[in-house]
Each structure stands twice: as structure tokens, then as C-alpha cells.
Amino acid sequence: MCSLSLFHYSEYLVTAINNPRSLSLDSFLLNHSFEYNLAALSSWVEFTLEKLLFPELKQITWLSTVGLLMVIFGDCLRKAAMLTAGSNFNHIVQNEKSDTHTLVTSGVYGWFRHPSYVGWFYWSIGTQVLLCNPVCVVGYALASWRFFRERIEEEEITLIHFFGEEYLEYKRKVPSGLPFIKGVKVEL
């Protein structure tokens, strides 16, 4: 619960600092989607059932420690991405380029093209490793991977439209950061 609370509160806080014009209650990401809420509920149900039926499964300290490290790494990477992007970061993929919109390629964006997605990916899986929830580890990994594969393709079409060759060059040099996700394919 602490990691979940910290994640959502810090989403709001960093948005308030970086992009106050887009700040709303939605910035907490509490109402992200039906699927997100279903995943959280599934996690709690799995944890409770396994705690009752297989209590030893929930006492694997080294595994919980690995999960905690994944949660910390993922959340820190996501917040670093949000802070690095500044007012260019928005929770909603933008369809129109604003006058102040620039392509951010420095900081954590020099490591990964989509560091906030990489952070969320590992944070979400880490929450389930932390809880020693084997079913949800697999479910979260697959669902998150699929969501980000589609989201990155959608976002990259927009980024190519906004920045053209500058983005294509960046895309050639810097990986997406997520396993087996290359991004939108561009035919030349």
C-alpha cells in the first residue's frame, strides 16, 4: 500500500511542479483505466488467497527485497523522466504540438526513448514480486508489455509527425528501453 500510495501521490506532485497547467485530480492516475483497477484488485485477491492457503509463499524475504528494489528503481526512473521532460511531459499523448514542445534527448532520455514507460513497467512488475504474487507477476508483465507496445507505437507516430528526421535519428540511436519493443516501423 505504501508503494502504491507513494506512486500515485508523486505522480500528482511531479505534475504540479513540472506542468501545473495540466494539473487535475486525474494527475493522481487513480482512475487510470478499468484494466488498471482490475489488476490492482487481482493483486490483492491473489495475495490474500495465497497468504491464507500457502503462507510460506509470502515469506520469501530475498524475493520481496528484489521486488522492493524494482519498485524503487522503476518509480525513480519514471519521476526522473517526468522531471527531465519538464512541461513536455503529459499523462495523455498529445495530438497537437505546442509552441514550447521540444524533443527531450538528454538525461534519462539519453538511455531510453521512453524512460517513464520503462519505469512504470518495472515498478508494476516489482509490486507483484514484492508481494510474492506469481500469477500477477506474469499477468502484470504481459499486460504492461502489451499496453506499452501499443502506446509506444501510437506515441512515436505523433513524435515523428512533430519532429520528423530529428526524432527518427534519435530513434535509431536510443533503444525504447522495454524488452522486444522497437517502436513504430518506418518505411523509407
Side-chain angles (χ1 to χ4, degrees):
M1 289 307 282
C2 288
S3 114
L4 197 59
S5 297
L6 180 62
F7 175 82
H8 288 287
Y9 174 72
S10 61
E11 286 288 311
Y12 184 88
L13 180 63
V14 173
T15 302
I17 292 167
N18 266 358
N19 201 351
R21 286 177 285 127
S22 72
L23 188 65
S24 72
L25 287 177
D26 289 341
S27 301
F28 280 109
L29 296 186
L30 291 172
N31 56 349
H32 180 267
S33 66
F34 171 77
E35 293 81 5
Y36 181 79
N37 294 331
L38 182 62
L41 179 62
S42 299
S43 168
W44 301 332
V45 168
E46 179 182 353
F47 182 85
T48 302
L49 288 176
E50 289 173 355
K51 180 76 172 161
L52 293 172
L53 300 173
F54 312 105
E56 67 280 357
L57 182 64
K58 301 302 179 189
Q59 298 173 6
I60 307 172
T61 306
W62 70 266
L63 189 58
S64 289
T65 302
V66 169
L68 179 61
L69 293 173
M70 290 174 70
V71 165
I72 292 168
F73 166 78
D75 201 22
C76 287
L77 179 60
R78 180 165 171 84
K79 298 319 182 281
M82 292 172 72
L83 289 167
T84 301
S87 64
N88 291 293
F89 186 90
N90 198 307
H91 286 112
I92 299 166
V93 175
Q94 301 299 293
N95 294 319
E96 294 182 25
K97 183 180 176 191
S98 72
D99 293 337
T100 60
H101 203 156
T102 59
L103 179 61
V104 179
T105 60
S106 61
V108 292
Y109 288 87
W111 305 341
F112 311 117
R113 288 193 317 270
H114 302 281
S116 70
Y117 296 161
V118 175
W120 188 325
F121 180 77
Y122 287 106
W123 173 83
S124 71
I125 297 168
T127 62
Q128 300 315 296
V129 174
L130 174 67
L131 294 173
C132 299
N133 279 354
V135 174
C136 281
V137 164
V138 173
Y140 274 48
L142 292 173
S144 296
W145 184 87
R146 183 172 177 219
F147 172 80
F148 287 123
R149 184 194 66 208
E150 293 170 4
R151 177 77 175 245
I152 285 171
E153 287 184 5
E154 173 191 343
E155 186 171 307
E156 287 192 340
I157 290 168
T158 302
L159 290 167
I160 291 167
H161 177 73
F162 286 179
F163 301 108
E165 187 58 39
E166 182 183 8
Y167 186 78
L168 292 172
E169 184 62 27
Y170 174 61
K171 184 179 182 320
R172 281 190 282 276
K173 292 179 181 177
V174 180
S176 74
L178 291 165
F180 310 109
I181 297 179
K182 304 254 188 254
V184 69
K185 292 176 179 47
V186 179
E187 299 294 324
L188 299 176

